[in-house]
Amino acid sequence: MTSAARAFVEGVRWELLRLRRSRRLALFLIPPVAGPIGTALAWRLLAVPNPGTAEVLGLFVTAGLAALVALDLGALAAGEDLAVHADRLEFALPQSPRAATAGRLLPPIGGAVAADLAGAAAIVAAAPRLVPTGGAGTPVLLDPTHLLWGLVGFLLLLGGVAAAAATTTRSPAQGLVAGVLAGVVAAGISAEFLVQGTLSAATPIAMALGGLVAIALAVGGSGARGH
Amino acid sequence: MGAPVVELRGVQKRFGGRTVLENLSFAIAPGEAVGYLGPNGAGKSTTLRLLSGLLAPDRGEVRLGGFDPIADRTRALAGVGALVETPALPPYLTPRDLLGHVARLRGFSGPSAAAAAARAGARLGIAPSLDRPYGTLSTGLQRRALLAAAAVGEPPLLLLDEPTLGLDPAARGDLRRLLRAVADSGTTLFLSTHLLEDVEAVCDRVLFLKEGRLVGDEAVGSRRDPVGRRRRVDLTFAEELPDPALALLAAPDADCRRLSPRSVRVEFDGGSAAQAALVARAVRAGLPLESIGPAEGDLARRYLERVGREEAT
């Protein structure tokens, strides 16, 4: 194993240990458990007209919960150690700070995406069974499959921006605020495109790319060398 | 003397418009215990950050074992244990978590990583607290946990920034003795501090830093220096020492001088073995030896000469 690979693996391991010790690991259960349950209740209360609309509603609810997890844990993974200057311990060790940071961002952001996908899978499986197909003539707002993957791009954007801002400001709170702002802007732009009828695959792809760029900034900014 | 394990050549570091280090050059040979003395703001911690790869110099070169700690970080820091400034851990992590993490990054795996972590914890006297959350530890125990992290795997070079910070007097004494023992075992020590007592108790050589410039590089008078300067120690006895007893302490290479009725200053050639022989002479002669330590006063005077009275701490 190369030294960068070892630093990456140890970064993943260290972050998982932190999640376990701080009991934040349980947050990953919220999207796949609370998402489908809450969604099923909403289906009943709102009397959604068809399974497609039910899936769209459920995917939004689950991704909303996963977004909170990605924001919170992404900001903490990048900024919590910096806030207490633990980086002076971590990055004075024989490891690449960038590989270590990349490893540390994988569990929170990858975990939030995985939790969202698990919740989405439950919703997609349950919708045709729980929602009557009587309203099949009512148009569905969005294609559920497109929405599913579009929300993954949204989650990457939120987690990435939160991590990058937390790295820059050395503060998880600031990272969280930046991530929320990015989410509001991205959702607003997407809604505008939807109203205009110009929403396409380019929007979530741009969000995903923005998220990856933000993650790269967080990774590249770790172990900053001039401050 | 082998190739230097630490080397700075013409290093300059500026923050904004302020020059923190100016044309800083020094080298440390394997096995040396070097103190780095200067007032707050002199640039000591910046030097440590440069050495541990946390900062890059604006000008000049930094080398650890011949490697650049920024460009070749893994090799440069492979044999280095560093404690820079006052880091902390998130409160929910335990010292064992940290030590295990460090051990794995130093190449230990599985049970050997756990054993290396436990060994470092025991060495720093925190074995009973290894599984307590960091946030519940006293300041002293927290500091020891961080020092233990630097010591995991017994690296051949230790870079320590104010290691006795936050420790009570007894723990401070214990740590100084431990660091001296570590130095005597051949580990190279670079000790940044503003406490003269830390340097007197641990170091062979001292660098004085003032406003980012090196203003002195000399032997600590109380210890054998690298070029053979004589070591000076003060012996304190439990009761008044009669004049004839002084002769029992003397040897061909050791001169004795009374400081008070119960204390004597001895100056001699040689290192720890010669000091051990001096103690053995005192014990053989039945003298009630109470303590032995570096000659006092000498370093304080030199610090004031180099750094200035208004800067003294």
Side-chain angles (χ1 to χ4, degrees), chain A residues 44-190:
Chain A
R44 295 284 178 192
L45 292 172
L46 298 175
V48 291
N50 53 47
T53 302
E55 284 178 20
V56 169
L57 176 64
L59 291 177
F60 273 128
V61 170
T62 305
L65 295 170
L68 295 177
V69 176
L71 282 169
D72 186 27
L73 299 189
L76 285 167
E80 190 177 30
D81 277 7
L82 295 176
V84 296
H85 300 297
D87 55 312
R88 290 173 189 164
L89 273 177
E90 287 279 306
F91 298 152
L93 290 166
Q95 63 169 340
S96 155
R98 291 176 179 174
T101 304
R104 291 185 53 172
L105 291 178
L106 182 64
I109 298 177
V113 170
D116 176 56
L117 291 176
I123 285 163
V124 169
R129 293 182 176 83
L130 298 179
V131 178
T133 54
T138 308
V140 179
L141 186 64
L142 291 160
D143 181 318
T145 309
H146 291 172
L147 178 64
L148 173 65
W149 295 112
L151 287 170
V152 170
F154 182 70
L155 291 176
L156 282 175
L157 178 72
L158 264 56
V161 169
T167 301
T168 307
T169 60
R170 302 182 70 95
S171 159
Q174 303 269 20
L176 196 60
V177 169
V180 169
L181 288 175
V184 169
V185 170
I189 291 172
S190 301

Side-chain angles (χ1 to χ4, degrees), chain B residues 66-300:
Chain B
F67 300 109
D68 183 333
I70 294 285
D72 205 350
R73 169 186 297 269
T74 310
R75 281 196 287 183
L77 296 175
V80 180
L83 175 60
V84 183
E85 294 180 305
T86 49
L89 275 187
Y92 48 81
L93 290 174
T94 68
R96 194 185 298 280
D97 293 336
L98 173 66
L99 303 186
H101 174 60
V102 174
R104 286 188 294 278
L105 285 169
R106 291 201 182 287
F108 295 91
S109 60
S112 70
R119 211 165 40 242
R123 208 168 183 203
L124 267 295
I126 56 162
S129 306
L130 279 176
D131 295 311
R132 284 174 54 195
Y134 185 79
T136 67
L137 300 177
S138 67
T139 308
L141 281 174
Q142 288 180 345
R143 194 69 181 163
R144 284 172 185 234
L146 300 175
L147 283 164
V152 168
E154 286 133 39
L157 169 63
L158 285 175
L159 307 172
L160 302 177
D161 195 2
E162 307 284 2
T164 57
L165 191 76
L167 300 182
D168 61 51
R172 209 171 260 193
D174 288 347
L175 182 62
R176 286 174 184 149
R177 278 187 287 279
L178 174 64
L179 289 176
R180 188 58 229 175
V182 166
D184 286 337
S185 73
T187 299
T188 308
L189 271 182
F190 184 63
L191 195 75
S192 168
T193 181
H194 66 279
L195 296 178
L196 305 180
E197 297 88 341
D198 285 353
V199 174
E200 284 184 315
V202 176
C203 300
D204 305 314
R205 177 183 159 201
V206 61
L207 307 176
F208 294 101
L209 191 72
K210 182 183 182 184
E211 294 168 1
R213 293 170 186 272
L214 205 60
V215 293
D217 179 354
E218 39 198 85
V220 176
S222 54
R223 298 202 170 277
R224 179 179 60 86
D225 76 6
V227 292
R229 195 170 295 171
R230 285 161 75 79
R231 178 183 287 215
R232 297 192 307 156
V233 294
D234 290 347
L235 279 69
T236 305
F237 296 90
E239 55 198 55
E240 194 171 321
L241 202 64
D243 282 339
L246 282 180
L248 300 172
L249 288 172
D253 60 350
D255 303 319
C256 301
R257 179 165 64 88
R258 181 185 293 282
L259 297 175
S260 73
R262 289 177 46 221
S263 63
V264 174
R265 177 162 295 169
V266 184
E267 202 169 316
F268 54 95
D269 291 322
S272 301
Q275 184 169 315
L278 170 67
V279 173
R281 283 201 297 279
V283 172
R284 266 201 312 273
L287 304 179
L289 182 61
E290 197 172 68
S291 68
I292 179 168
E296 290 177 359
D298 186 46
L299 190 61

